[in-house]
Amino acid sequence: MYRDRVDTDTDEMFVLAKVELDEFLAGERKTFDLPVRTPGYEFSERVWAMLREIPYGETTTYGALAERLGNGRLAQRVGQAVGRNPVSIVAPCHRVVGAGGSLTGYAGGPDRKRFLLELEEPAGITGFATVLESQTSRFTRLNWSANLTFWITHDLTR
């Protein structure tokens, strides 16, 4: 039933994932080349594909993703799919925020979500995630140029 254990220090995919995540967390990478397979239902797969299309340094809302799927009333279902994203950071679910700008619905917790959003801030802008969270007006996109093992082993605060 179980496959052989993978040596995370020598397995090609784990090494590539670690390199790319380290580069991302150092601010040296904005997209991932890591091939991923996300086994899920068709709806979830469509949502996860849209997550990978959200550019570095930009956010969108659950409602905006639902609208792109053709029905704005699917925002809660979109949120459920985002919450089940098996490759957070690679499919950047941290870039999805609540309609009022709240930092909701991140499996890694609000502190990690805030950290990742602030990591992607352009030079000269600080505290954007805090400002975003305090917004009360609706928006669909703000432009401001893990479930992986690494959530457990990688210190995001170093």
Side-chain angles (χ1 to χ4, degrees), residues 6 10 16 22 32 34 38 44-45 64 68 82-83 85-86 90 106 114 122 136 138 154:
V6 174
T10 60
L16 177 61
D22 284 344
F32 289 88
L34 183 66
T38 52
S44 295
E45 290 290 337
R68 285 187 53 203
V82 169
N85 173 13
V90 176
Y106 191 66
R114 183 177 291 106
T136 56
R138 293 185 65 93
H154 203 290

Side-chain angles (χ1 to χ4, degrees), residues 4 25 32 37 69 90 100 102 104 114 118 120 127 133 140:
D4 293 334
L25 294 170
F32 289 88
R37 185 174 15 183
L69 289 168
V90 176
S102 59
T104 62
R114 183 177 291 106
E118 290 180 354
E120 296 183 13
E133 192 170 16
T140 57

